[in-house]
Short mmCIF file of all heavy atoms in Angstrom, two decimals:
data_model
loop_
_atom_site.label_atom_id
_atom_site.label_comp_id
_atom_site.label_asym_id
_atom_site.label_seq_id
_atom_site.Cartn_x
_atom_site.Cartn_y
_atom_site.Cartn_z
N GLU A 1 165.19 316.26 236.13
CA GLU A 1 163.95 316.75 235.53
C GLU A 1 162.74 316.50 236.43
O GLU A 1 161.61 316.70 236.01
CB GLU A 1 163.77 316.09 234.15
CG GLU A 1 164.85 316.53 233.18
CD GLU A 1 164.81 315.80 231.85
OE1 GLU A 1 163.84 315.07 231.56
OE2 GLU A 1 165.77 315.97 231.07
N GLY A 2 163.00 316.03 237.65
CA GLY A 2 161.93 315.82 238.61
C GLY A 2 161.13 314.54 238.37
O GLY A 2 160.03 314.39 238.91
N LYS A 3 161.68 313.64 237.61
CA LYS A 3 160.98 312.39 237.32
C LYS A 3 161.38 311.32 238.34
O LYS A 3 162.38 311.44 239.03
CB LYS A 3 161.29 311.94 235.90
CG LYS A 3 160.78 312.93 234.87
CD LYS A 3 161.05 312.51 233.46
CE LYS A 3 160.43 313.55 232.53
NZ LYS A 3 161.07 313.61 231.26
N ASN A 4 160.60 310.28 238.40
CA ASN A 4 160.92 309.11 239.20
C ASN A 4 161.77 308.19 238.34
O ASN A 4 161.47 307.99 237.16
CB ASN A 4 159.64 308.39 239.63
CG ASN A 4 158.80 309.26 240.53
OD1 ASN A 4 159.19 309.58 241.64
ND2 ASN A 4 157.63 309.66 240.06
N VAL A 5 162.82 307.64 238.93
CA VAL A 5 163.73 306.80 238.15
C VAL A 5 164.16 305.56 238.93
O VAL A 5 164.08 305.52 240.16
CB VAL A 5 165.01 307.57 237.73
CG1 VAL A 5 164.68 308.81 236.92
CG2 VAL A 5 165.87 307.94 238.94
N SER A 6 164.59 304.57 238.19
CA SER A 6 165.29 303.43 238.80
C SER A 6 166.40 303.02 237.85
O SER A 6 166.30 303.20 236.64
CB SER A 6 164.34 302.27 239.09
OG SER A 6 163.93 301.64 237.89
N TRP A 7 167.46 302.48 238.44
CA TRP A 7 168.62 302.00 237.69
C TRP A 7 169.02 300.68 238.33
O TRP A 7 169.30 300.64 239.54
CB TRP A 7 169.77 303.01 237.77
CG TRP A 7 171.06 302.53 237.21
CD1 TRP A 7 171.37 302.36 235.89
CD2 TRP A 7 172.25 302.16 237.94
NE1 TRP A 7 172.66 301.91 235.76
CE2 TRP A 7 173.22 301.77 237.01
CE3 TRP A 7 172.58 302.13 239.29
CZ2 TRP A 7 174.49 301.37 237.38
CZ3 TRP A 7 173.83 301.71 239.67
CH2 TRP A 7 174.78 301.34 238.71
N LEU A 8 169.00 299.61 237.54
CA LEU A 8 169.30 298.29 238.07
C LEU A 8 170.42 297.67 237.23
O LEU A 8 170.19 297.24 236.10
CB LEU A 8 168.05 297.40 238.03
CG LEU A 8 168.20 295.99 238.57
CD1 LEU A 8 168.50 296.01 240.07
CD2 LEU A 8 166.94 295.18 238.29
N PRO A 9 171.65 297.64 237.78
CA PRO A 9 172.78 297.07 237.03
C PRO A 9 172.83 295.55 237.17
O PRO A 9 172.36 294.98 238.15
CB PRO A 9 173.99 297.71 237.71
CG PRO A 9 173.55 297.90 239.12
CD PRO A 9 172.07 298.22 239.05
N SER A 10 173.43 294.92 236.16
CA SER A 10 173.68 293.48 236.19
C SER A 10 174.98 293.24 235.44
O SER A 10 175.15 293.71 234.31
CB SER A 10 172.53 292.73 235.51
OG SER A 10 172.83 291.35 235.42
N TYR A 11 175.90 292.52 236.08
CA TYR A 11 177.18 292.28 235.43
C TYR A 11 177.81 291.02 235.98
O TYR A 11 177.52 290.58 237.09
CB TYR A 11 178.14 293.47 235.60
CG TYR A 11 178.19 294.01 237.00
CD1 TYR A 11 179.09 293.51 237.94
CD2 TYR A 11 177.33 295.02 237.42
CE1 TYR A 11 179.13 294.01 239.23
CE2 TYR A 11 177.37 295.52 238.70
CZ TYR A 11 178.27 295.00 239.60
OH TYR A 11 178.30 295.49 240.88
N GLY A 12 178.69 290.44 235.16
CA GLY A 12 179.41 289.23 235.56
C GLY A 12 180.53 289.58 236.52
O GLY A 12 180.80 290.75 236.79
N PRO A 13 181.23 288.57 237.03
CA PRO A 13 182.30 288.80 238.01
C PRO A 13 183.57 289.38 237.40
O PRO A 13 184.42 289.86 238.12
CB PRO A 13 182.56 287.41 238.58
CG PRO A 13 182.16 286.47 237.49
CD PRO A 13 181.02 287.15 236.78
N GLU A 14 183.68 289.38 236.08
CA GLU A 14 184.89 289.89 235.44
C GLU A 14 184.94 291.41 235.55
O GLU A 14 183.91 292.07 235.54
CB GLU A 14 184.93 289.52 233.95
CG GLU A 14 184.75 288.05 233.68
CD GLU A 14 183.28 287.63 233.52
OE1 GLU A 14 182.38 288.46 233.75
OE2 GLU A 14 183.06 286.46 233.20
N MET A 15 186.14 291.95 235.64
CA MET A 15 186.30 293.41 235.69
C MET A 15 186.10 294.03 234.32
O MET A 15 185.47 295.05 234.16
CB MET A 15 187.68 293.80 236.22
CG MET A 15 187.84 293.55 237.71
SD MET A 15 186.75 294.56 238.69
CE MET A 15 187.51 296.15 238.53
N ARG A 16 186.66 293.43 233.29
CA ARG A 16 186.54 293.92 231.92
C ARG A 16 186.24 292.73 231.02
O ARG A 16 186.74 291.63 231.23
CB ARG A 16 187.84 294.57 231.43
CG ARG A 16 188.22 295.82 232.19
CD ARG A 16 187.65 297.04 231.48
NE ARG A 16 188.10 298.27 232.12
CZ ARG A 16 187.31 299.00 232.89
NH1 ARG A 16 186.10 298.64 233.14
NH2 ARG A 16 187.77 300.10 233.42
N GLY A 17 185.43 292.94 230.00
CA GLY A 17 185.18 291.91 229.01
C GLY A 17 184.02 290.99 229.33
O GLY A 17 183.56 290.28 228.45
N GLY A 18 183.52 290.98 230.57
CA GLY A 18 182.35 290.18 230.90
C GLY A 18 181.09 290.88 230.44
O GLY A 18 181.13 291.99 229.92
N THR A 19 179.97 290.23 230.61
CA THR A 19 178.72 290.85 230.20
C THR A 19 178.28 291.90 231.22
O THR A 19 178.55 291.78 232.40
CB THR A 19 177.60 289.80 230.05
OG1 THR A 19 177.42 289.15 231.30
CG2 THR A 19 177.94 288.80 228.97
N ALA A 20 177.62 292.91 230.73
CA ALA A 20 177.09 293.97 231.60
C ALA A 20 175.83 294.52 230.95
O ALA A 20 175.76 294.67 229.73
CB ALA A 20 178.11 295.08 231.78
N ASN A 21 174.84 294.79 231.77
CA ASN A 21 173.65 295.47 231.28
C ASN A 21 172.98 296.17 232.44
O ASN A 21 173.29 295.91 233.60
CB ASN A 21 172.70 294.49 230.57
CG ASN A 21 172.06 293.50 231.49
OD1 ASN A 21 171.12 293.82 232.20
ND2 ASN A 21 172.56 292.27 231.50
N CYS A 22 172.09 297.06 232.12
CA CYS A 22 171.32 297.72 233.16
C CYS A 22 169.93 298.05 232.65
O CYS A 22 169.72 298.21 231.44
CB CYS A 22 172.03 298.96 233.69
SG CYS A 22 172.26 300.28 232.51
N ASN A 23 169.00 298.09 233.58
CA ASN A 23 167.63 298.47 233.32
C ASN A 23 167.42 299.86 233.90
O ASN A 23 167.80 300.11 235.06
CB ASN A 23 166.66 297.52 234.02
CG ASN A 23 166.65 296.11 233.45
OD1 ASN A 23 165.64 295.46 233.46
ND2 ASN A 23 167.75 295.61 232.96
N VAL A 24 166.83 300.73 233.12
CA VAL A 24 166.54 302.10 233.57
C VAL A 24 165.06 302.37 233.32
O VAL A 24 164.55 302.09 232.23
CB VAL A 24 167.39 303.14 232.81
CG1 VAL A 24 167.06 304.55 233.26
CG2 VAL A 24 168.87 302.85 232.95
N VAL A 25 164.41 302.92 234.32
CA VAL A 25 163.03 303.35 234.17
C VAL A 25 162.98 304.83 234.52
O VAL A 25 163.47 305.24 235.57
CB VAL A 25 162.07 302.55 235.09
CG1 VAL A 25 160.63 303.03 234.91
CG2 VAL A 25 162.18 301.05 234.82
N ILE A 26 162.41 305.61 233.61
CA ILE A 26 162.22 307.05 233.83
C ILE A 26 160.73 307.31 233.66
O ILE A 26 160.17 307.02 232.60
CB ILE A 26 163.05 307.89 232.83
CG1 ILE A 26 164.54 307.55 232.97
CG2 ILE A 26 162.80 309.37 233.03
CD1 ILE A 26 165.42 308.15 231.89
N SER A 27 160.11 307.85 234.72
CA SER A 27 158.65 307.95 234.71
C SER A 27 158.15 309.20 235.41
O SER A 27 158.77 309.68 236.35
CB SER A 27 158.08 306.70 235.40
OG SER A 27 156.68 306.78 235.48
N ASP A 28 156.99 309.68 234.96
CA ASP A 28 156.30 310.77 235.65
C ASP A 28 155.59 310.24 236.89
O ASP A 28 155.24 311.01 237.78
CB ASP A 28 155.29 311.44 234.72
CG ASP A 28 155.96 312.21 233.60
OD1 ASP A 28 157.09 312.70 233.80
OD2 ASP A 28 155.37 312.29 232.50
N GLU A 29 155.35 308.94 236.93
CA GLU A 29 154.67 308.31 238.06
C GLU A 29 155.67 307.48 238.86
O GLU A 29 156.81 307.30 238.44
CB GLU A 29 153.55 307.42 237.52
CG GLU A 29 152.52 308.18 236.72
CD GLU A 29 151.54 307.26 236.00
OE1 GLU A 29 151.44 306.08 236.37
OE2 GLU A 29 150.89 307.74 235.06
N GLU A 30 155.23 306.97 240.00
CA GLU A 30 156.12 306.13 240.80
C GLU A 30 156.53 304.89 240.00
O GLU A 30 155.74 304.37 239.22
CB GLU A 30 155.41 305.69 242.09
CG GLU A 30 155.29 306.79 243.10
CD GLU A 30 154.73 306.30 244.42
OE1 GLU A 30 154.76 305.09 244.70
OE2 GLU A 30 154.25 307.16 245.18
N VAL A 31 157.76 304.45 240.23
CA VAL A 31 158.28 303.27 239.56
C VAL A 31 157.97 302.08 240.45
O VAL A 31 158.48 301.98 241.56
CB VAL A 31 159.80 303.39 239.31
CG1 VAL A 31 160.34 302.11 238.68
CG2 VAL A 31 160.10 304.60 238.42
N GLY A 32 157.13 301.17 239.96
CA GLY A 32 156.73 300.03 240.75
C GLY A 32 157.74 298.90 240.75
O GLY A 32 157.89 298.18 241.73
N CYS A 33 158.48 298.75 239.65
CA CYS A 33 159.43 297.66 239.54
C CYS A 33 160.62 298.11 238.70
O CYS A 33 160.44 298.67 237.62
CB CYS A 33 158.76 296.45 238.89
SG CYS A 33 159.85 295.03 238.68
N PRO A 34 161.83 297.87 239.17
CA PRO A 34 163.01 298.31 238.41
C PRO A 34 163.40 297.37 237.27
O PRO A 34 164.26 297.70 236.46
CB PRO A 34 164.11 298.33 239.47
CG PRO A 34 163.70 297.26 240.43
CD PRO A 34 162.20 297.31 240.46
N ILE A 35 162.74 296.23 237.18
CA ILE A 35 163.09 295.26 236.14
C ILE A 35 162.33 295.60 234.86
O ILE A 35 161.11 295.80 234.87
CB ILE A 35 162.75 293.82 236.59
CG1 ILE A 35 163.59 293.48 237.83
CG2 ILE A 35 163.00 292.82 235.48
CD1 ILE A 35 163.17 292.21 238.53
N VAL A 36 163.06 295.65 233.75
CA VAL A 36 162.47 295.97 232.46
C VAL A 36 162.35 294.67 231.65
O VAL A 36 163.34 294.07 231.27
CB VAL A 36 163.33 296.99 231.68
CG1 VAL A 36 162.76 297.25 230.30
CG2 VAL A 36 163.44 298.29 232.47
N ALA A 37 161.12 294.24 231.44
CA ALA A 37 160.87 293.04 230.64
C ALA A 37 160.68 293.39 229.17
O ALA A 37 161.21 292.72 228.29
CB ALA A 37 159.65 292.29 231.17
N GLU A 38 159.92 294.45 228.92
CA GLU A 38 159.71 294.96 227.56
C GLU A 38 160.13 296.41 227.55
O GLU A 38 159.53 297.25 228.23
CB GLU A 38 158.24 294.85 227.15
CG GLU A 38 157.80 293.47 226.76
CD GLU A 38 156.44 293.53 226.08
OE1 GLU A 38 155.49 294.08 226.69
OE2 GLU A 38 156.34 293.04 224.95
N ALA A 39 161.18 296.70 226.79
CA ALA A 39 161.76 298.04 226.80
C ALA A 39 161.23 298.90 225.67
O ALA A 39 160.97 298.41 224.57
CB ALA A 39 163.28 297.93 226.69
N ASP A 40 161.12 300.18 225.96
CA ASP A 40 160.81 301.16 224.92
C ASP A 40 162.04 301.37 224.04
O ASP A 40 161.92 301.59 222.84
CB ASP A 40 160.39 302.49 225.54
CG ASP A 40 159.13 302.35 226.37
OD1 ASP A 40 158.06 302.15 225.77
OD2 ASP A 40 159.23 302.43 227.61
N SER A 41 163.22 301.30 224.66
CA SER A 41 164.49 301.49 223.96
C SER A 41 165.52 300.51 224.48
O SER A 41 165.62 300.30 225.69
CB SER A 41 165.03 302.91 224.15
OG SER A 41 164.13 303.87 223.66
N VAL A 42 166.31 299.94 223.57
CA VAL A 42 167.41 299.05 223.93
C VAL A 42 168.65 299.51 223.17
O VAL A 42 168.60 299.73 221.96
CB VAL A 42 167.10 297.58 223.60
CG1 VAL A 42 168.34 296.70 223.79
CG2 VAL A 42 165.96 297.06 224.46
N ILE A 43 169.75 299.67 223.91
CA ILE A 43 171.06 299.95 223.31
C ILE A 43 171.88 298.68 223.43
O ILE A 43 172.06 298.16 224.54
CB ILE A 43 171.79 301.09 224.03
CG1 ILE A 43 171.04 302.42 223.87
CG2 ILE A 43 173.23 301.22 223.50
CD1 ILE A 43 171.64 303.57 224.68
#
């Protein structure tokens, strides 16, 4: 869609069953930091 994005994965050393999460930023402006401290949406 022509937006600026970042995707920052984080996961434990386990292949399956360990914790996993990622931060995603989708913006009309430049993304200054890929870390999401306060999210608009959390799944």
Side-chain angles (χ1 to χ4, degrees):
E1 295 174 10
K3 296 181 177 154
N4 296 294
V5 302
S6 71
W7 172 74
L8 181 65
S10 175
Y11 45 89
E14 306 88 353
M15 288 296 287
R16 295 268 185 255
T19 59
N21 68 78
C22 64
N23 292 212
V24 179
V25 179
I26 301 171
S27 177
D28 291 330
E29 300 170 18
E30 286 186 19
V31 176
C33 179
I35 298 169
V36 176
E38 283 193 305
D40 298 290
S41 300
V42 172
I43 295 174

